[in-house]
Amino acid sequence: MSTICTSVDFHTAGEPFRIVAEPPVETPGASVAQRRELAVPGSEVDDLRRLLCFEPRGHADMYGGFITEPDDDGADFGVLFWHKDGFSTACGHGTMALGAWAVSAGIVAVDPSGTTEVTIDVPSGRVRAQVHTDAEGRATSVDFVNVPSRLIASGLTVDTSLGPVTVDLAWGGAIYALVDVAQLGAAAGSSQDDATQFDKKNRLGEVSCEVVPENLTALIALGREVKAGLADHPDTVHPEDDRLSGVYGTIFVDRLGTLPGGELHQRNVTVFADGQVDRSPCGSGTAARVAALHAAGELCPGQTLAHESIVGTRFPARVLEETADGVIPVVTGSAHRVATTTFEVDPLDDLVPGFVLR
């Protein structure tokens, strides 16, 4: 039996994050962005990703990261984020998990003020996890402070099997297509002229046109269609770094009004990569949503977005500051350790690296 590596697994608002602090393979490159660029199929680091992500050791919706050296002394460490289809440019829920892990593991000493800042280099830039701790030094919540985020384009039309669907594009460390589910009834043939007034019975199935688990299979399929429909769109090209180009995921948004405390309440599900589903409200996706709502004047100064996931967990989010490159969003969540696992490979096991069913 051959021991491969040990991981520490967390979940952030229900979404898994598998941390490998000491990858047993080289991660070549002078920066985290370059390391991602070089993590190509056939490389040792990609083989390790597949082993830890594919069944039977993982599953189609697994997420994780390999700890690397930072780009320079300004960060505590770097990370290569990964999922079943490759390596991503950003991961907000993973950043929260990494902050909680770094404090609990003693990688970064707990600040006696009760807020410890963990600085992390990721492929899309430098992000921060502000870890809030209790009197015993345990992480109670984490603020994900993202790279500048912005609305890229609004009102784009994508042809789908439901008909034309209107999307906005926003950047939150990755490019997301934002889809208001209220229009889907109209896209499926509703006679209503106003897309916000739609037939509840629609081609998503004999259920309401909402972001709910009963609609998940259809939303995954539609999310893939939207992403594919934007594959060659010029607005999906990153203006400064082509390695950051392309739509990473489709975010389906269900507007739920305003909460008694004044928070803007919305539910979403993010379908990313090739049909993966974020169980959390999606950290970088929430940042993109904050940027889009701010640009549209829907999220007022000082107002919080209560961003809910398809399983009911929430990320409160707001604009921390405005910059020339967009807004700096801060997204708050909590991350909890669930396992420490030592992975082994039996030389007689023919399911290496494994398989995925979606």
Side-chain angles (χ1 to χ4, degrees):
M1 194 74 67
S2 175
T3 298
I4 301 300
C5 66
T6 297
S7 76
V8 180
D9 286 17
F10 278 71
H11 84 85
T12 306
E15 177 71 357
F17 193 76
R18 178 165 284 170
I19 301 169
V20 181
E22 298 180 357
V25 298
E26 293 293 325
T27 54
S31 66
V32 174
Q34 189 177 59
R35 291 185 186 103
R36 175 178 177 264
E37 183 181 14
L38 296 175
V40 296
S43 65
E44 287 187 319
V45 68
D46 190 61
D47 288 346
L48 181 61
R49 171 194 66 83
R50 292 191 299 153
L51 183 75
L52 297 177
C53 197
F54 288 8
E55 296 184 56
R57 298 161 193 86
H59 52 81
D61 295 296
M62 178 53 69
Y63 216 116
F66 299 136
I67 303 301
T68 75
E69 292 294 319
D71 291 354
D72 57 48
D73 293 340
D76 295 298
F77 52 86
V79 60
L80 280 179
F81 295 123
W82 48 260
H83 49 75
K84 79 172 176 66
D85 298 303
F87 295 84
S88 57
T89 62
C91 180
H93 90 274
T95 299
M96 295 181 204
L98 287 166
W101 165 77
V103 168
S104 66
I107 307 298
V108 178
V110 174
D111 192 306
S113 70
T115 301
T116 303
E117 186 153 291
V118 181
T119 304
I120 307 169
D121 283 330
V122 308
S124 58
R126 180 162 287 174
V127 299
R128 292 177 287 151
Q130 296 176 334
V131 184
H132 302 284
T133 53
D134 62 15
E136 297 180 15
R138 299 174 300 186
T140 56
S141 65
V142 184
D143 296 335
F144 164 49
V145 183
N146 201 11
V147 298
S149 303
R150 64 188 182 276
L151 178 67
I152 298 171
S154 59
L156 303 181
T157 300
V158 179
D159 290 327
T160 73
S161 60
L162 288 181
V165 171
T166 301
V167 307
D168 296 339
L169 289 178
W171 166 260
I175 298 175
Y176 290 94
L178 309 177
V179 178
D180 193 327
V181 295
Q183 69 177 294
L184 297 181
S190 170
S191 61
Q192 302 286 346
D193 292 329
D194 184 355
T196 63
Q197 301 296 321
F198 58 93
D199 185 352
K200 290 283 188 179
K201 299 294 184 182
N202 57 77
R203 287 171 58 188
L204 283 183
E206 292 301 311
V207 290
S208 63
C209 189
E210 299 171 326
V211 175
V212 291
E214 294 87 344
N215 285 339
L216 185 57
T217 299
L219 288 170
I220 291 171
L222 186 58
R224 282 170 154 165
E225 288 187 51
V226 169
K227 180 176 178 176
L230 291 165
D232 298 319
H233 198 285
D235 285 333
T236 66
V237 176
H238 192 278
E240 298 171 0
D241 188 344
D242 192 55
R243 295 174 299 184
L244 304 176
S245 296
V247 173
Y248 177 54
T250 304
I251 301 178
F252 293 100
V253 178
D254 201 350
R255 297 170 181 267
L256 302 177
T258 303
L259 294 172
E263 301 96 336
L264 190 62
H265 187 198
Q266 298 186 354
R267 184 185 300 122
N268 91 96
V269 64
T270 301
V271 180
F272 64 93
D274 185 18
Q276 284 192 247
V277 177
D278 199 324
R279 275 75 172 153
S280 82
C282 187
S284 57
T286 297
R289 185 63 180 161
V290 164
L293 291 169
H294 175 269
E298 296 184 61
L299 189 65
C300 301
Q303 187 179 24
T304 296
L305 169 66
H307 215 209
E308 188 173 314
S309 74
I310 197 167
V311 300
T313 54
R314 288 187 188 176
F315 285 164
R318 57 186 173 83
V319 172
L320 183 63
E321 63 177 292
E322 298 183 38
T323 74
D325 297 321
V327 299
I328 303 292
V330 56
V331 182
T332 302
S334 62
H336 305 279
R337 184 169 173 160
V338 297
T340 299
T341 306
T342 298
F343 287 93
E344 300 175 339
V345 170
D346 185 333
L348 300 180
D349 186 354
D350 58 1
L351 288 179
V352 177
F355 59 92
V356 287
L357 291 178
R358 189 178 71 247

